[in-house]
């Protein structure tokens, strides 16, 4: 592992947001002309974004821990 960036989860997040389902939910949440549709879709979008961001943070933490353990060097008895 050469980088600490959470590229796997960021790639997954981009794929989810660009998919037809993701763009439809985003469009309903922010560009819908109907207030009821916006008020239903906005919390769903914010919760989904919070989940995707937390997955990125968890992957970054795991990669940091693994990187620190590998850089410490292995000692043999």
């Amino acid at each position: 592992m050469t980088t600490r960036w959470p590229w796997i989860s960021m790639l997954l997040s981009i794929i989810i947001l660009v998919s037809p389902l993701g763009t439809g939910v985003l469009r309903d949440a922010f560009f819908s002309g109907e207030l009821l549709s916006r008020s239903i879709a906005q919390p769903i979008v914010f919760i989904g974004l919070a989940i995707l961001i937390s997955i990125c943070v968890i992957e970054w933490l795991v990669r940091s821990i693994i990187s620190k353990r590998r850089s410490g060097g292995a000692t043999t008895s």
Side-chain angles (χ1 to χ4, degrees):
M1 180 175 13
T2 59
T3 180
R4 292 184 187 175
W5 288 101
W7 62 271
I8 295 171
S9 57
M10 285 195 296
L11 184 65
L12 178 67
S13 300
I14 291 170
I15 290 171
I16 290 172
L17 292 175
V18 176
S19 71
L21 181 63
T23 55
V25 171
L26 286 172
R27 186 176 55 247
D28 287 344
F30 298 108
F31 302 115
S32 178
E34 189 176 335
L35 180 62
L36 180 63
S37 177
R38 280 187 305 211
S39 65
I40 291 172
Q42 280 181 354
I44 293 171
V45 168
F46 290 138
I47 290 169
L49 287 175
I51 290 170
L52 292 175
I53 290 170
S54 64
I55 289 172
C56 288
V57 168
I58 290 170
E59 182 182 354
W60 179 77
L61 286 172
V62 168
R63 286 178 176 266
S64 295
I65 291 170
I66 291 172
S67 177
K68 286 179 185 177
R69 285 187 181 178
R70 286 186 179 174
S71 68
T75 58
T76 57
S77 299

